[in-house]
Amino acid sequence: MKTDILFRVIVLIVLVTALLISGTFRKKAREEGGTIKRQEEGWMVLVLRLGIALPFLVVILLNIIFPAAMDWAHFYSPLYLKIIGLVLAVLCLPLLFWVFHSIGKNISETVLTKDSHELVTHGPYAWVRHPLYGGASILIFSISLIFGDWVILGYSIVGLLAFRLLVIPAEEKQLLDAFGEEYVYYQARTGALLPWFR
């Protein structure tokens, strides 16, 4: 029981730290590189994001604050899987910092490209074109292991598929329009979410 409380506290700390890292770098990027209004993507995308993000946040918070409310969604996750999940979640924090530090003012809340956008090919972007999406998928999956929660596990699978099949193609179309052959060459030598999958 004490272990479960400790794990829940660590997950809360990881999530708050991740939000602080993201918020700090995004604020700086808005000040230095401008913003793209979410409405420019269209209202349907905004509604879909809210419709997916808010329930997910509720599920995470229930698992942290009132886990009994999510008993119906729990599966048996042995201690070693919880520890693996915890290590993965904690390791996502330096990765997240590295990603945001590397992309700098080019980070956007949309799949659209800023007018002053630069093609970033250093840091984690030297191996992976979308390390933020890959890192987010790993973080969500790791939390599903920690809590042993089918709903969060489902979110990690659906999120990974959504990133790979919907978000990345839309974003890469924008990047191809902006950078042309330079981006084609970059695509050829990097993986979308993992370095070894081209």
Side-chain angles (χ1 to χ4, degrees), residues 36 108 110-117 171 174-175 178-179:
I36 299 173
S108 172
T110 71
V111 298
L112 304 175
T113 305
K114 295 179 178 180
D115 292 335
S116 61
H117 199 95
E171 190 170 304
Q174 295 286 320
L175 292 165
F179 300 106

Side-chain angles (χ1 to χ4, degrees), residues 58-153:
V58 168
V59 168
I60 294 285
L61 290 175
L62 283 174
N63 271 287
I64 292 171
I65 299 166
F66 190 54
M70 293 302 296
D71 277 348
W72 59 272
H74 289 164
F75 61 85
Y76 174 68
S77 182
L79 183 60
Y80 76 90
L81 273 184
K82 291 178 186 240
I83 291 170
I84 289 170
L86 200 62
V87 169
L88 284 173
V90 170
L91 287 176
C92 282
L93 292 177
L95 172 64
L96 185 64
F97 183 88
W98 192 28
V99 167
F100 276 110
H101 183 266
S102 298
I103 196 167
K105 67 178 183 177
N106 299 294
I107 192 70
S108 172
E109 285 83 12
T110 71
V111 298
L112 304 175
T113 305
K114 295 179 178 180
D115 292 335
S116 61
H117 199 95
E118 299 166 359
L119 182 58
V120 177
T121 60
H122 62 276
Y125 292 90
W127 299 284
V128 180
R129 296 189 305 277
H130 305 279
L132 187 57
Y133 301 149
S137 298
I138 292 168
L139 181 59
I140 295 168
F141 176 72
S142 68
I143 292 171
S144 77
L145 294 181
I146 296 166
F147 291 141
D149 188 295
W150 286 110
V151 176
I152 301 172
L153 181 61

